[in-house]
Amino acid sequence: MIKNLKVGVLCGGISSERAVSLRSGRAVSEALKRAGISVFRTDPKLSLAFKKALLRMDIAFIALHGHGGEDGSIQTRLEKAAIPYVGSDAKGSWLAFNKVEAKKKFKKAGIPTPGWLTVHFKNWRKLKTFSAPFFIKPVADGSSIGVFLVEDFAHSAVKITRALRIYGTLLAEKRIKGREFTVGILGKQSLPVIELRPKRAFYDYRAKYTKGMTEYLVPAPIPSSWRRKLQNLAQRTHKALKLRDFSRVDMMMDEKGKAYVLEANTIPGFTELSLLPKAAREAGISFEKLCLRLVQMALARKNGKT
C-alpha cells in the first residue's frame, strides 16, 4: 500500500534556485504528510546524510530546481540506486533543461519556437546581424536567471561578453511581442491555461518571485480556440521531449495569434502558490491530491503497471 511507503522529498541542492527548491520541498512534504504518507526531506548538498537517506526511501519526489535537479543528474543517480522517482527520466530532463537541444527537438517536431542562435566567443559578433530585440539566455539554467533583453547590439556588447565569460555558451532568442501563457501537463491531462502579465519589461526573476510584480489569470481570459491551441501545443512539446508525469510549458502568442513555445519545465515551482498547482486547483485537483497523484505514478512504474 502507498501509505506504507517511505517517500523522500529531495530539495535544496546546489543550484542558484536552492531557496525556491527548499520552499517547494517543504510544501510537498507537508502535503504528503496530510495525505497520510510517511515522508522525509533530504538535501543532496549534504552528501553523507543524502547517501544514508537513499538507503531508506522507497520513492523519491524530486523538488530540486535547476542544476542538479532538472538536468538529469539526480535522475541518473536514482536510477543507479534502483529508486523509483516522480517526474521525467534522465534523458528527458536533460533535453528540456538544455535550451539548445530542446529547440532542436521543437524544430524536428514542427513545434513553433522563436528563432535562435547558439552564441560562443568564436561567433558572438554574428549577433550584429541577429536583428534586435532578442533575449540572451544561459543555455542551461532556470527561473530566468542570467536572462536579459538586447535592444541594441552595440550598447549590450559588454554585457554579452561578460555573460559569455560566466556561462561559456549562450542562447540568443528572438523576442516575441504579445501575451504570455503557461500550460501544465499532468499525466495525459492538459491543465487550464494561465496567462502571465508581468509588471516589468519581461517575466524575469524579480517578476517571478516578488509579490505583486506579476498578475496571474487562472483560467486565462481567452477564446476556447486559443485554449485548445495552447493545450495541444503543450502536449506536443511534452511528447517531443519524451517527458513523463508532469511538466509546465511556457509560451508566447504574438499579435497575429500565432503561439510559440519558449521552454518546458520538468520540475517547476511546487508550492501551493506556484503555477502548476494553481492550474491543478482550477481543474479541481487540490495541492495534496496533486502531490499524491504524482507519487502514485511513480509507484505504478515501480510495480510495472505503466
Side-chain angles (χ1 to χ4, degrees):
M1 285 181 60
I2 191 169
K3 292 191 177 182
N4 294 329
L5 295 173
K6 287 186 175 64
V7 177
V9 177
L10 280 54
C11 58
I14 59 171
S15 83
S16 52
E17 298 175 76
R18 176 177 171 82
V20 180
S21 172
L22 288 169
R23 291 202 298 271
S24 290
R26 190 178 304 113
V28 170
S29 297
E30 290 172 357
L32 290 175
K33 283 178 183 176
R34 290 195 300 271
I37 303 296
S38 176
V39 59
F40 63 92
R41 275 178 282 159
T42 180
D43 187 345
K45 186 177 181 180
L46 307 174
S47 183
L48 183 59
F50 183 64
K51 285 179 182 178
K52 292 180 180 178
L54 288 175
L55 298 174
R56 64 189 183 101
M57 72 175 73
D58 297 307
I59 288 178
F61 194 119
I62 305 171
L64 295 162
H65 309 306
H67 287 285
E70 291 180 84
D71 57 7
S73 57
I74 195 68
Q75 290 81 2
T76 298
R77 186 169 179 181
L78 291 168
E79 286 165 14
K80 286 180 179 177
I83 298 172
Y85 56 88
V86 167
S88 296
D89 67 10
K91 185 175 180 180
S93 299
W94 179 80
L95 279 173
F97 192 63
N98 187 298
K99 294 180 177 65
V100 171
E101 294 302 318
K103 289 273 197 182
K104 291 176 182 176
K105 286 292 183 183
F106 298 161
K107 185 177 180 180
K108 186 176 181 180
I111 293 169
T113 189
W116 84 94
L117 177 68
T118 306
V119 183
H120 40 76
F121 272 112
K122 290 183 178 179
N123 76 340
W124 75 278
R125 292 185 185 279
K126 283 186 179 180
L127 290 174
K128 287 181 180 179
T129 58
F130 192 72
S131 58
F134 57 84
F135 288 104
I136 290 292
K137 302 180 176 184
V139 169
D141 220 329
S143 289
S144 297
I145 292 167
V147 177
F148 59 92
L149 180 64
V150 174
E151 296 184 279
D152 180 272
F153 172 77
H155 290 164
S156 298
V158 171
K159 197 171 184 179
I160 293 168
T161 56
R162 187 183 300 130
L164 280 169
R165 283 193 290 272
I166 295 170
Y167 297 104
T169 305
L170 299 169
L171 176 77
E173 182 181 71
K174 295 287 186 182
R175 183 186 190 185
I176 303 298
K177 292 185 178 180
R179 296 167 70 177
E180 187 161 359
F181 301 95
T182 192
V183 177
I185 301 293
L186 178 62
K188 296 181 179 180
Q189 177 184 2
S190 294
L191 297 175
V193 180
I194 297 178
E195 182 171 5
L196 292 69
R197 294 183 181 175
K199 296 178 181 178
R200 291 173 60 78
F202 66 97
Y203 192 48
D204 61 3
Y205 186 90
R206 186 177 171 192
K208 286 181 179 181
Y209 297 114
T210 305
K211 187 176 180 179
M213 291 302 294
T214 299
E215 182 181 8
Y216 302 103
L217 305 180
V218 193
I222 54 176
S224 58
S225 60
W226 284 28
R227 174 180 53 78
R228 288 192 296 270
K229 181 192 298 185
L230 292 168
Q231 289 179 324
N232 177 261
L233 198 50
Q235 286 282 3
R236 288 173 58 199
T237 301
H238 188 85
K239 290 176 183 175
L241 296 172
K242 296 183 179 180
L243 306 183
R244 70 184 188 193
D245 294 354
F246 70 108
S247 67
R248 200 196 74 226
V249 181
D250 298 336
M251 292 169 273
M252 294 291 301
M253 185 173 282
D254 69 15
E255 294 162 348
K256 296 179 180 179
K258 182 175 179 179
Y260 297 82
V261 171
L262 301 178
E263 63 181 1
N265 302 273
T266 55
I267 307 177
F270 237 88
T271 70
E272 296 196 41
L273 299 177
S274 299
L275 297 182
L276 184 79
K278 279 179 186 285
R281 188 161 52 248
E282 180 64 25
I285 305 167
S286 69
F287 187 65
E288 184 178 303
K289 288 180 179 177
L290 172 63
C291 295
L292 189 59
R293 188 177 296 186
L294 289 170
V295 170
Q296 289 169 334
M297 290 178 188
L299 179 60
R301 275 195 299 278
K302 178 181 179 178
N303 294 335
K305 294 180 181 180
T306 59

